[in-house]
Amino acid sequence: MNYGKEANAKILIYRFPNVFGKWCRPNYNSAIATFCYNIARDIPIQVNNADVEMTLVYIDDVVGEIISCFCDEPTKTGNICKVSFEYKIKLGKIVDYIKSFKEIRTTLNVPNLSNALVKNLYSTYLSYLPENQFSYQLKMNIDERGSFTEFIKTVDRGQVSINISKPGITKGNHWHHTKNEKFLVVYGEGVIRFRNVSAPSKVIEYKVSGDKLEVVDIPVGYVHNIENLGSNDMVTVMWVNEVFDPKNPDTYATLV
């Protein structure tokens, strides 16, 4: 700082807290790198004090700050510069998050990525996956009609599933009070039929095809089904606004 005054030079002093992110060496001097690496490989971890509060900065934010400080005014606390995005979190909570990331392959529950720290932690965890373990299998519920496979579940954005229907098969024939869905046929051809429960004599039809990707909303109060009209399996991506709750399925069987 004295040199900056004497030489009229721009001096920026950064004191970074714990930096985390991809490419950090595990089992060295970063607890997060070690936790991500070990948990991804089922290697035990050691937590000496789960209640200690960590101050973290994400590596992409560090790089962005360094680049921007050449053109803009840096973020400062007194004479010391800092990364504008800092996170404070207890060590035990970090471990809980990372363990939950590993469980996603079983629970399908994607974390709340609107939380910037969780989003960056999840990206960091994925960067430590063993190269022979990038993929994981899903449970396919198979019967004579085809299959239904849950893909992703979220706390506040519902869930996504993949439905496969055999030729000539009709699925659905139910309606919902509050639950709503979106159907997207990505392979094959078929028809989605609707009947408003308050106007039972009128049937509405939407032709769907993997040759023309088109999302069909499934509004509440409409009995609906989807029929495969083609000679091959029909594949449909299905989104529903809430994760299935067997205690409150909000699904009422009625023929279209």
Side-chain angles (χ1 to χ4, degrees):
M1 293 172 65
N2 288 335
Y3 168 79
K5 295 177 182 177
E6 295 170 359
N8 194 29
K10 183 178 181 180
I11 300 296
L12 301 176
I13 299 176
Y14 282 90
R15 292 175 181 168
F16 298 121
N18 296 280
V19 181
F20 75 98
K22 56 192 177 294
W23 305 326
C24 185
R25 178 179 170 185
N27 298 299
Y28 183 55
N29 65 354
S30 168
I32 290 181
T34 301
F35 292 161
C36 289
Y37 181 90
N38 287 13
I39 290 172
R41 291 162 176 76
D42 293 317
I43 300 173
I45 62 171
Q46 179 178 340
V47 180
N48 296 323
N49 184 359
D51 290 327
V52 65
E53 186 174 71
M54 305 278 287
T55 301
L56 307 173
V57 288
Y58 185 51
I59 184 60
D60 289 39
D61 294 331
V62 173
V63 173
E65 170 66 26
I66 293 174
I67 292 173
S68 66
C69 77
F70 290 106
C71 303
D72 305 314
E73 282 299 315
T75 304
K76 284 187 175 183
T77 300
N79 291 321
I80 305 301
C81 302
K82 60 184 293 185
V83 178
S84 56
F85 298 102
E86 285 188 352
Y87 309 104
K88 294 186 182 297
I89 183 173
K90 289 185 177 181
L91 184 60
K93 188 63 176 178
I94 294 173
V95 173
D96 290 342
Y97 276 131
I98 297 173
K99 287 182 176 178
S100 73
F101 299 156
K102 182 178 179 62
E103 294 169 357
I104 286 173
R105 295 187 167 198
T106 302
T107 66
L108 306 181
N109 291 314
V110 175
N112 180 7
L113 301 180
S114 64
N115 181 315
L117 173 59
V118 174
K119 181 183 72 171
N120 294 335
L121 272 176
Y122 185 45
S123 295
T124 300
Y125 169 77
L126 291 176
S127 73
Y128 288 93
L129 288 176
E131 292 185 350
N132 63 347
Q133 294 182 26
F134 287 175
S135 68
Y136 58 100
Q137 292 187 345
L138 298 174
K139 179 186 176 183
M140 297 180 66
N141 301 289
I142 302 173
D143 59 24
E144 68 280 359
R145 302 174 302 163
S147 65
F148 181 80
T149 305
E150 294 178 322
F151 173 29
I152 289 175
K153 298 179 181 180
T154 69
V155 174
D156 61 340
R157 296 291 190 273
Q159 72 177 57
V160 178
S161 304
I162 307 300
N163 183 76
I164 299 178
S165 300
K166 297 291 185 182
I169 291 297
T170 300
K171 292 186 178 183
N173 284 322
H174 57 243
W175 63 281
H176 315 290
H177 276 297
T178 304
K179 183 184 296 185
N180 57 86
E181 301 167 284
K182 294 180 184 291
F183 289 0
L184 172 62
V185 171
V186 295
Y187 184 80
E189 57 181 318
V191 60
I192 301 175
R193 299 185 182 92
F194 297 90
R195 177 170 59 80
N196 193 318
V197 293
S198 64
S201 62
K202 180 181 179 181
V203 176
I204 305 166
E205 293 189 348
Y206 279 81
K207 293 291 182 67
V208 287
S209 169
D211 295 330
K212 180 186 177 183
L213 297 186
E214 184 176 9
V215 176
V216 179
D217 274 316
I218 312 297
V220 299
Y222 279 85
V223 184
H224 53 278
N225 68 31
I226 181 168
E227 180 183 357
N228 183 350
L229 300 179
S231 56
N232 299 309
D233 288 354
M234 181 174 65
V235 181
T236 308
V237 178
M238 295 182 171
W239 171 86
V240 60
N241 69 318
E242 60 185 40
V243 174
F244 179 72
D245 180 2
K247 295 181 180 180
N248 182 28
D250 187 13
T251 300
Y252 304 91
T254 309
L255 294 177
V256 173

